[in-house]
Amino acid sequence: MASGEIEEVPVLLVDTDDEPARLSLGLAARLSRYLQVLTQAQKTGRETLSSHELSEYTRVNSTQIRRDLSGFGKFGKRGVGYNVDALVDQIREILQTGGQHNIALFGAGHLGKAIGSSDIFADHGFNVVAVFDADPKKVGTKVGGQAVRPVEEADRLIAEEGVVVAVLAVPGTAAQALADQLVAAGVRIIFNYSESLLDVPAEVTVHTSNPAVDLLHALYFYLS
Amino acid sequence: MASGEIEEVPVLLVDTDDEPARLSLGLAARLSRYLQVLTQAQKTGRETLSSHELSEYTRVNSTQIRRDLSGFGKFGKRGVGYNVDALVDQIREILQTGGQHNIALFGAGHLGKAIGSSDIFADHGFNVVAVFDADPKKVGTKVGGQAVRPVEEADRLIAEEGVVVAVLAVPGTAAQALADQLVAAGVRIIFNYSESLLDVPAEVTVHTSNPAVDLLHALYFYLS
DNA sequence: TAGATTGTTAATCGATTAACAATC
DNA sequence: TAGATTGTTAATCGATTAACAATC
């Protein structure tokens, strides 16, 4: 070691193994929410957004937002805020979700039609490549510009298109059997809009969406 | 102070001001999720559920679940688990959501019909007291057994029925104006299923539901 | 008894918040 | 310059996890 004057070397907090550290669960969730607000703000023509404004829309503390973002670079401009377009790109890079992903939708009832015709998924690069229904009467009808297919074709299409994500808008009574079939076919992320609880292997992620749950705890804070 | 032998007095962690402490945000959210899984388990006839099983369905760590519950009492039975019916009642009491609450639904499109005909809200004591739509052609049609009303009647009905919660299943372009009207009429919790960002006063809670956001971070953990 | 699961402790990690200098 | 907002520090709080005695 050299004695005497030591030149200060900036310490870069990078992983030694040349790979970015995996984000914590909470951080990935928050970044996704920032992204959603930012893409909406883009639509209304906003050019910049402050951490305070982002905080109002996401209900995440503004210091937390600044800290989350500054961990990846100096994205903001003091006195001004964050450039919306640039920040969208930066968060997409962090989340590695810049590309397009194929998803399959199951169920062509009211909910399936609502999901299939909305651009809530398309806005974030998710293509609904196919819509399936078990009811022969629904097969062939249009949902979001696509003809509904019989559920028997699902396995083949999942394999061909490399579908990893399935959205289940089916009755609770049909959900578990369908989930089993999809897991066997290669699906790894299931969005469950049925009220049924799903049993799946550990390597599969189930996200059960239930507005009543959110309402329950929103109401608690209103009542107390 | 008395010297010598000291009789041990159990320390009860109660609030001195005779009121239960307000739950933390995270705890209220977790309890709501436990409640949802438990009510589903009730439907399938389960009598007991272990913290480990609850953990699988809620993705909350099982130690966390036991700790959350043991803060309110010894609800479980060692070697057995938790009694489903009893735990449902106990969590409802903690969340103060045993009663019935009136909610109003706006929008009678695909999503509105899906929400209005599901019993996802009814299961947790939420009554959809009215369904509204701005489109005269939809007024009078049935959604979940109810006749759709013109949105002009909303103010009167909100006041009469003491509606605090509104569910917005309307196009993004209509959402902000409707939110303004509802806040003026007395609504304090808004469930926003439109893609639009809503500006509301601080005393109003907006919950924006966006499946694409959840999908974004689920996908991150799949990809990395 | 043997097996299972709770209730609880302790240690660690991530989230929250206030405060403020730096700087656009 | 003056006002606004970022980036960052420090202190606190809540969440996570492993471990295990208690006990059904």
Side-chain angles (χ1 to χ4, degrees), chain B residues 4 26 82:
Chain B
Y82 297 89

Side-chain angles (χ1 to χ4, degrees), chain A residues 34-106:
Chain A
Y34 306 156
L35 194 51
Q36 195 260 332
V37 170
L38 288 161
T39 51
Q40 276 309 310
Q42 267 184 325
K43 286 193 183 172
T44 64
R46 288 294 303 265
E47 296 198 348
T48 63
L49 220 53
S50 70
S51 61
H52 189 71
E53 288 170 300
L54 262 172
S55 173
E56 278 178 14
Y57 290 122
T58 58
R59 307 262 157 187
V60 176
N61 181 281
S62 65
T63 306
Q64 178 73 20
I65 294 175
R66 294 199 300 279
R67 177 203 271 276
D68 282 347
L69 297 174
S70 72
F72 300 100
K74 305 203 174 187
F75 299 153
K77 191 174 276 188
R78 288 165 204 243
V80 179
Y82 297 90
N83 179 287
V84 173
D85 291 347
L87 194 53
V88 164
D89 291 345
Q90 277 143 349
I91 296 179
R92 282 204 176 130
E93 193 171 329
I94 296 165
L95 289 174
Q96 305 168 35
T97 47
Q100 294 286 312
H101 299 279
N102 290 340
I103 68 178
L105 172 60
F106 293 83

Side-chain angles (χ1 to χ4, degrees), chain B residues 79-92:
Chain B
V80 179
Y82 297 89
N83 179 288
V84 173
D85 291 345
L87 194 52
V88 164
D89 291 344
Q90 277 143 349
I91 295 180
R92 283 202 175 132

Side-chain angles (χ1 to χ4, degrees), chain A residues 135-149:
Chain A
D135 181 354
K137 275 175 265 170
K138 293 226 176 86
V139 170
T141 62
K142 293 267 180 174
V143 169
Q146 304 221 17
V148 175
R149 305 170 188 233

